[in-house]
Every structure is written in C-alpha cells, then in structure tokens.
Amino acid sequence: MPAQTRTRSTRASRSQERPALSERLDALARDLHWTWNSAAIRVFAAIDPRLWEATNHNPISTMQRARAERLAALDNDGPFLELLDEAERRRAEYRRARPWFPSVHTGADRRLLVAYFSSEYAVHESMPQYAGGLGVLAGDHLKSASDLGVPLVAVGLLYRCGYYEQQLAPDGSTRVLYPHYDFEREWPIVDTGKHVRVPIGGRTVHARVWRLQVGRVPLYLLDADIPANRPADRRLTHHLYGAAAEYKIQQQALLGIGGNRALEALGIRPTVYHLNEGHAAFVALDRLRQLRKSGKSADAALKAVRRSTVFTTHTPVPAGHDRFEPKLLLRHLAPAVAESGLAREPFLALGREAPRDEKEWFCMTLLALRSSAHCNGVSKLHGEVSRKMWQRACGAARAADVPIRSVTNGIHPQTWLAPEIEPLYARYLQPRWNAARPEFDCWQRVERIPAPALWQARRRLRARLVHFVRERLAQQILARSGPVDELLAVYETFDEEALTIGFARRFATYKRAPLIFRDARRLAAILGDPKRPVQLVFAGKAHPADRGGQAFAQLVYRNARRDGLRGRVALIENYDMHVGRLLTSGCDVWLNNPLRPMEASGTSGMKPPLHGGINCSILDGWWPESFNRRNGWAIGDGRELKTPAAQDRYDAGCIYDLLEREVVPAFYDRGRDGVPRRWVRLMRESMRTVCGPFSAYRMLGEYVRDYYLPAHRGRAPE
C-alpha cells in the first residue's frame, strides 16, 4: 500500500475510533489542568494564533470564533493531531497517577478534606478573578494541591466585571475600565444547580453556585447577579474589592456565610477550614450556626470551630486590615449573628483588640485569629511582624507568645515556567525533573546544564520579552491615538542583548515602583552606556481607589518618556498573569524595593530563577530566607531609617551602587565564547537556592504536616 494511502487510512480509522475534533478540544478545555499542561496550551494556540492572543488565551472563545474551514483543516493536520494526542496523553496520565498525599498518608488522615476560602483566585489570565499577589497565591495553592493530591475544595465569589482593566491616558494617568464577562458562554464553568440564601440586613440575598475544575480540585464560586435579587444585591458580585465599607461587609458576608452554605448545599463536609486572609472570617458565624443546630453549646461550638480552622494573614501593617464601624456591621450582620447563637456584644468582642471597648471598630483579622487555633504569616519575617502587631490583642506578655507561626509562600512551578525552556530541563535535570512532591528538588542538578546551553536559553527568553514589549507598547500608543513618530520609535525600543531588569507587581505605594528614578541623571548614565546598556521594564496596577499607587504608575510612565531614559524604560499596562509570565521569564534581574518590613512575602521574585533570573531585592518578605550573597543581591543591609525620605535616599543609592559596581560588570564580563561565566554561576546558584525551597509543593507540604493534619485531628498547635 502506498504511504499516502496508508496515511489516509490511518487518519480515517482514527476519526472513527475517537470523538470529533471539537469534542476533544472542548473536553481538554473544560479541565483547567490545561493551564499548566504546555502541550494543551500549544494545541489551543495553534487553532488560530491571532484569535488566541485576541481572547487573552481563552480556548473556548478561540474555538467559538475560529472559522469552520480552519477547524476542518486541523482535523486533517497530522502535526496538530499528534500534539493533541500528546496533550490528551498528559492529561490522562495525570489523572491515573497516584499523587503524593494518598501515597504517604493512611488511616484517619486519609479522610482529611480542606475547604479553602479566598476572595480572589488567579488560575489563568483568561478568567480575571484576581487583583494581585493574594489571588496568585490562591491559584498556585489550588494547582499544587491538585498535583500533590491534597484533598481540598475551594470557595470564592464570581465577579462579573473582575477587578478592572487598566489603560494609561496620554498623561500617564490611569483609566479604569470594567468589562462585563460572559463567563457562562466563554469559561469552562458548570452550574451546580445549587442556590444559597444569605441573611444580610433585613433581607435575603440569593446566590447561584458555579464550579470550575482545577485539575483534581473543584473551585466553587458564588454569583449574586441573578433575577431573585434586587439590583443593588446583584451588584455584590460585580467588582472585586469595592471601596465602600458597606459593600465590603455585604460581599464578605456572601463569601464567608454564603460560601459555607454552598458547601452545605453541595453535601460537602470539610474537616478543616482554611481562610486565606480575613475576608472570609464570617465563615465562623455560619459554622457556629451549624454546630448549635446539632446541639452544641455556644462555648463548645466556638472551640470546635477554632480547633478545625486555619487562618493565613498576609498584611503586615495595621491599616491594611479591614475594620468596620460596629453599628454599620450589625446593620448587615445582626441576623447571621443571631443565627450563630452569639449575643451581639460577645460577637463584637471577637473583633476588638480591647474586647470591652464598645467604641472600637470591628477587625476582620481579629475575628479570624480568634476563631482559628492554627494561624500563620507568609514568611518568617512576616510571622515576627504579625506577632508584634497582635501582641496586645492576644494579651501576650511577649511577642514570642502570640500564637502566629509562619509558612513562607511558594509558587506553582509549571504555571510560571516558560515552555521554551522545558526541553533543556528535560534533558539535563532528569529523572522526573518536574515531579510534584514537597521534598523533591531537581534544581540541585543545575551544574549538569552546560554554561553555553543555559546562557543561550536566557538569551532566547530575553529576546521573546523584547519582542513582546515592542508589540505591547505599539498597541498602547495606538489605543491612545499617539503620534506616528512615537509609534515608529517603539520598534527601536530595547535591545535583545542588553541587561534587562524587571519590576512587575501591584502598584501599592509601599512597593515604591518609581524608587530607581530618584536620581534620574545617575540612572540615565547607567542605562545609556553604549558598551554596557541596561533596560527597565515595569508593569503593575494600583487599586482603583488608590490615588497614590496610580500616581506612582504615572511617575514611571513619565520617566519612560524623558530624555536620557526614552527607549530604555517601558511601562506595560494592564498587568495580568500573562504579562507576569513574560516578564519573570524574560528578565535577567528582578528588582524588588518595598519599604521594609511591609512586604509580607511577595512571590514574583520566586519566578525568575525558574529561568535563570537573579533577584536584586530589599531584605524583606521571603528574600532574607534565601539570600546567601552568591544567589543575587541585597539592596542595603536591612536597616530601617526614621523617615521615608531618608529610607528612599539610602535605598536608591544602594541600587545605583549595586548596578554600577556588581550587576552590570558581572553581566558584561564575557569569555571568548561570549558566555558570562560569573553571571552563569549566579544564575545556577539562584536556581539551586530558590526554585525548590520556594515552590508551592514545599509550602503545601508544610501546611499538611503542621496545620491541616493537626486541625483535622482536633489538636491544638504545639
């Protein structure tokens, strides 16, 4: 039989044995495991690359908008079908594999079931249900729980308008846009058929319960935008983090009380409740209602709630914790408080630093702390800061006696790893270089990767970033009707071979995004050296009501356009997971300069080392746990000066000194083969000391061992 005939026969046979192409693609898209299955991502991108970009990498939208002729052609495209086979094979193997948790835990511990509550989840950029680091951590927590097989269900709210889309006006000010997402049609979301009722004020707010499948983990989201509600209540799940106190109270009641009732309606009975920040603290009220209903006294019910609740606090400054005026709070929560069996004053006392001070505002973090026996900060330093912050509220003689420990955050490696570098690791870091186990660390093998190969991978990723920066800047100029000469200049912006420094995170003022511009003349000399050029790329959003953060974004924008810096500095608008992945994989150096000790942990700096990137950071958050003088640079020595101006002056000076004396010389010190050996040593040490120790697999392992299982067993922390 001729080869061509044989091929047609094989394809015909395959089409008879398997579902239609559209069914196969839809099945792959419905499980969000595809978001960390690089073969699946390539499948969806290949359907129509332009549509893939236009839909912000949404596979369902891409398939819906693709031309019928294109889909028909793909059904006979051998390489495409082979790639689809590979994506399906990986998903099937993932489902069949016995993950870590059930393989190492037996007996009663196997009955663990964690209910994880968070106000935001960053699972993928095509589903913008997140504002920043808290949501990114939550998304990585879910994916890592799926990989490890940790029994976990997640609960949150479904935001019709998400956080917001950011556009920069011609003067650099922020335009806040709220799109309306048609998630029923364009997201892989399932209506569970369940509805819940939440008593808020003198009325009942109804919510529909939806489900997203994140690998092995179901994510349940509550939607109040349904006909049963009055218009004001339908808006409760429109926006993430509204500014008004009344909106926050009602939204957090929906998350905590409604979220717990959603689990009840679904017949899910968790043994442990994990509150990711204080927004979901009202879950304690509804759990008290359940336990009182079963016959427990108020005291016994509260003890039972505490024993089985884990609370993670993320905020290192008092002003960052939600506090509500007592009368306003009771106006909305009185019915739920009555159902819990608590009297009003004992309830309010749970949220006060001084329980008997009737004028003190109610703090959600205190409610979470007092209804949880297992509490933690998100880095060792943040644990220390939190113990000092809540010492008075806990009535502790010493800060060390405050029952707040720490689990340092980590990242989900496969979410943030650039697919382009996977073949390099598959070749040199075997066996099982991407295994999902808390203790597994393939990164100790990085010496196996030849320096030229590692450096070449770094150059490719930087070139990809430079191409992205040019394209995105061009789009931004067109969107604001910018001049033609500015548009033409974009394509000469940035150099694929120049040292590239990145800064991408939420533009809160304490993160000090514009700090490096403090001495613009000195910075221009560093960036503009013709023999050793340097370039900076920024991205970030501020809260819609954070005028200070938006002013910082405007300051970065203006500096990017000033003489001496133009063409060497870029600000990418509408920061999201996609932008974050490109910057963390493409930048050589990751800059982090928060006002110490205001960075609870930070996870952005954990991502560049996956690609040989190196951190240059203030000794804040997670960095003091990693920095060893051989894996990156510390800005300053950890000193905390008396005034913000003095601190800015000192820290900015340290950044310039590091760039001039250490960073730039190491990058441009090349051997005869063009490889910067000293720089590659830094890359390897960065990879070895960050990638394994700061993965979410290690983080989940700690939660299971030190928090989830003790809470499941009903034991107080030691």
Side-chain angles (χ1 to χ4, degrees):
M1 181 185 298
Q4 187 176 11
T5 306
R6 204 166 42 240
T7 302
R8 289 174 180 169
S9 173
T10 302
R11 288 178 185 168
S13 174
R14 179 165 51 190
S15 66
Q16 291 172 4
E17 295 171 1
R18 293 187 174 177
L21 177 63
S22 59
E23 294 177 24
R24 295 174 66 190
L25 291 171
D26 187 70
L28 196 62
R30 294 288 163 184
D31 181 351
L32 290 171
H33 174 256
W34 73 261
T35 63
W36 68 100
N37 177 347
S38 58
I41 293 171
R42 289 174 59 204
V43 165
F44 295 130
I47 294 173
D48 187 323
R50 290 186 179 180
L51 274 178
W52 180 244
E53 291 298 322
T55 62
N56 206 17
H57 316 120
N58 184 321
I60 294 176
S61 294
T62 298
M63 289 187 287
Q64 289 174 345
R65 300 177 189 183
R67 297 174 61 187
E69 306 93 282
R70 174 60 179 164
L71 293 174
L74 289 173
D75 206 9
N76 291 285
D77 185 323
F80 177 83
L81 294 173
E82 288 174 6
L83 184 59
L84 178 56
D85 288 343
E86 171 66 10
E88 292 175 327
R89 182 188 63 77
R90 289 190 190 183
R91 179 172 178 251
E93 287 180 352
Y94 184 85
R95 288 291 182 178
R96 285 196 303 267
R98 192 176 188 213
W100 167 77
F101 184 88
S103 68
V104 300
H105 294 91
T106 58
D109 288 350
R110 294 279 291 274
R111 294 195 290 273
L112 169 73
L113 180 58
V114 180
Y116 183 88
F117 285 76
S118 181
S119 58
E120 52 176 298
Y121 291 94
V123 178
H124 190 258
E125 62 267 17
S126 63
M127 294 171 288
Q129 300 288 288
Y130 58 95
L134 183 72
V136 170
L137 175 75
D140 283 12
H141 196 108
L142 267 56
K143 294 174 186 177
S144 300
S146 173
D147 289 351
L148 294 171
V150 176
L152 185 145
V153 298
V155 181
L157 301 180
L158 183 58
Y159 304 104
R160 291 270 176 174
C161 303
Y163 187 43
Y164 75 95
E165 287 190 358
Q166 172 201 48
Q167 282 189 358
L168 299 175
D171 65 351
S173 60
T174 297
R175 290 172 172 165
V176 175
L177 306 175
Y178 287 106
H180 201 85
Y181 297 109
D182 187 4
F183 61 81
E184 296 178 56
R185 191 171 69 90
E186 298 186 341
W187 295 1
I189 198 162
V190 175
D191 185 351
T192 66
K194 302 296 183 182
H195 290 70
V196 296
R197 299 179 178 184
V198 183
I200 298 179
R203 68 195 188 283
T204 297
V205 175
H206 302 261
R208 178 184 296 175
V209 183
W210 300 86
R211 186 185 77 244
L212 288 168
Q213 195 64 37
V214 186
R216 297 181 176 97
V217 172
L219 168 57
Y220 296 102
L221 300 172
L222 276 68
D223 171 24
D225 191 4
I226 57 178
N229 288 326
R230 64 180 192 171
D233 291 337
R234 296 185 69 159
R235 291 192 291 271
L236 288 179
T237 52
H238 277 198
H239 305 293
L240 177 59
Y241 299 145
E246 193 165 13
Y247 186 85
K248 287 183 179 180
I249 292 170
Q250 295 176 84
Q251 197 174 65
Q252 292 179 20
L254 193 61
L255 173 62
I257 298 169
N260 189 56
R261 294 187 179 192
L263 295 177
E264 190 175 37
L266 291 161
I268 297 171
R269 302 182 65 180
T271 63
V272 174
Y273 292 75
H274 185 174
L275 312 183
N276 187 41
E277 196 51 284
H279 308 116
F282 291 140
V283 72
L285 277 179
D286 204 59
R287 292 191 62 206
L288 288 174
R289 171 192 64 82
Q290 288 176 304
L291 291 166
R292 292 299 303 278
K293 198 174 176 181
S294 68
K296 287 186 180 293
S297 66
D299 187 56
L302 185 55
K303 287 180 179 177
V305 168
R306 292 191 76 253
R307 281 195 304 269
S308 56
T309 303
V310 176
F311 169 54
T312 299
T313 176
H314 294 259
T315 310
V317 290
H321 299 267
D322 284 334
R323 296 175 187 268
F324 301 119
E325 195 274 326
K327 289 183 180 178
L328 179 65
L329 183 73
L330 288 175
R331 183 187 307 163
H332 298 288
L333 267 291
V337 172
E339 289 185 11
S340 75
L342 286 174
R344 292 188 177 190
E345 280 308 309
F347 164 69
L348 292 173
L350 290 173
R352 295 172 177 155
E353 292 194 44
R356 296 182 181 179
D357 183 355
E358 296 183 2
K359 294 182 180 179
E360 183 183 338
W361 283 29
F362 186 95
C363 177
M364 294 295 288
T365 301
L366 276 174
L367 174 61
L369 286 170
R370 290 187 173 135
S371 59
S372 307
H374 310 267
C375 305
N376 69 283
V378 289
S379 70
K380 290 180 180 178
L381 178 59
H382 179 233
E384 294 173 11
V385 170
S386 297
R387 286 189 288 273
K388 291 176 183 176
M389 185 188 307
W390 302 112
Q391 181 179 348
R392 172 173 172 261
C394 293
R398 304 178 305 154
D401 296 329
V402 174
I404 301 175
R405 296 172 289 165
S406 64
V407 177
T408 301
N409 285 343
I411 61 167
H412 181 251
Q414 291 299 127
T415 291
W416 301 102
L417 190 68
E420 293 86 346
I421 207 168
E422 285 188 14
L424 184 71
Y425 296 157
R427 180 176 180 183
Y428 291 105
L429 301 185
Q430 294 289 12
R432 296 176 54 119
W433 70 273
N434 56 357
R437 300 186 75 84
E439 73 285 355
F440 183 75
D441 189 356
C442 71
W443 304 99
Q444 300 309 311
R445 308 171 188 154
V446 294
E447 291 294 337
R448 297 179 183 176
I449 306 175
L454 188 56
W455 179 242
Q456 186 60 29
R458 175 97 297 283
R459 293 179 64 216
R460 283 196 297 267
L461 291 172
R462 188 190 316 113
R464 185 185 68 156
L465 173 62
V466 169
H467 176 75
F468 167 77
V469 168
R470 291 171 179 166
E471 290 296 316
R472 184 59 72 91
L473 288 178
Q475 292 171 13
Q476 292 173 197
I477 293 168
L478 289 169
R480 61 173 181 267
S481 304
V484 173
D485 58 343
E486 187 177 346
L487 185 62
L488 292 173
V490 158
Y491 294 98
E492 299 177 0
T493 295
F494 276 38
D495 180 346
E496 292 184 3
E497 299 297 336
L499 171 61
T500 304
I501 300 173
F503 181 106
R505 51 187 54 83
R506 187 167 53 90
F507 267 21
T509 52
Y510 76 85
K511 294 179 185 284
R512 300 188 296 178
L515 181 64
I516 198 170
F517 300 107
R518 200 174 193 282
D519 186 339
R521 184 173 299 177
R522 189 175 178 186
L523 178 63
I526 295 170
L527 271 55
D529 185 333
K531 293 183 179 179
R532 304 190 306 182
V534 181
Q535 52 205 15
L536 300 170
V537 56
F538 289 81
K541 285 183 179 180
H543 187 281
D546 181 3
R547 301 304 178 194
Q550 291 177 23
F552 272 15
Q554 188 173 32
L555 192 55
V556 173
Y557 175 87
R558 289 175 175 173
N559 274 286
R561 298 163 67 86
R562 68 189 292 173
D563 291 341
L565 300 179
R566 187 183 292 112
R568 294 288 180 193
V569 180
L571 173 59
I572 305 300
E573 67 186 20
N574 207 32
Y575 177 48
D576 65 1
M577 290 182 73
H578 175 57
V579 174
R581 278 196 300 273
L582 284 163
L583 266 64
T584 55
S585 63
C587 289
D588 301 295
V589 174
W590 199 250
L591 181 64
N592 185 44
N593 44 239
L595 191 63
R596 177 185 162 104
M598 297 180 71
E599 184 78 278
S601 175
T603 59
S604 66
M606 301 172 186
K607 297 158 191 170
L610 290 171
H611 313 90
I614 305 169
N615 277 278
C616 181
S617 176
I618 295 286
L619 286 166
D620 198 11
W622 70 280
W623 187 230
E625 298 174 44
S626 178
F627 177 61
N628 66 5
R629 301 183 182 276
R630 301 183 307 278
N631 63 351
W633 299 275
I635 300 170
D637 54 12
R639 71 181 67 177
E640 298 171 28
L641 302 180
K642 293 183 178 180
T643 67
Q647 192 73 57
D648 286 355
R649 185 167 54 251
Y650 170 73
D651 291 338
C654 290
I655 293 173
Y656 301 137
D657 288 345
L658 283 171
L659 292 176
E660 292 167 342
R661 300 173 186 174
E662 298 186 36
V663 180
V664 176
F667 184 84
Y668 285 104
D669 181 12
R670 307 292 170 88
R672 291 183 178 180
D673 58 359
V675 176
R677 303 285 168 172
R678 184 157 49 123
W679 190 268
V680 171
R681 286 197 297 272
L682 285 162
M683 288 171 61
R684 284 177 170 151
E685 186 68 7
S686 174
M687 297 165 78
R688 184 165 39 240
T689 57
V690 176
C691 298
F694 296 93
S695 80
Y697 298 146
R698 183 273 312 156
M699 178 187 76
L700 258 293
E702 287 188 34
Y703 273 118
V704 168
R705 181 191 67 210
D706 298 334
Y707 294 81
Y708 292 167
L709 287 178
H712 171 70
R713 297 163 184 162
R715 296 177 184 173
E718 298 177 0

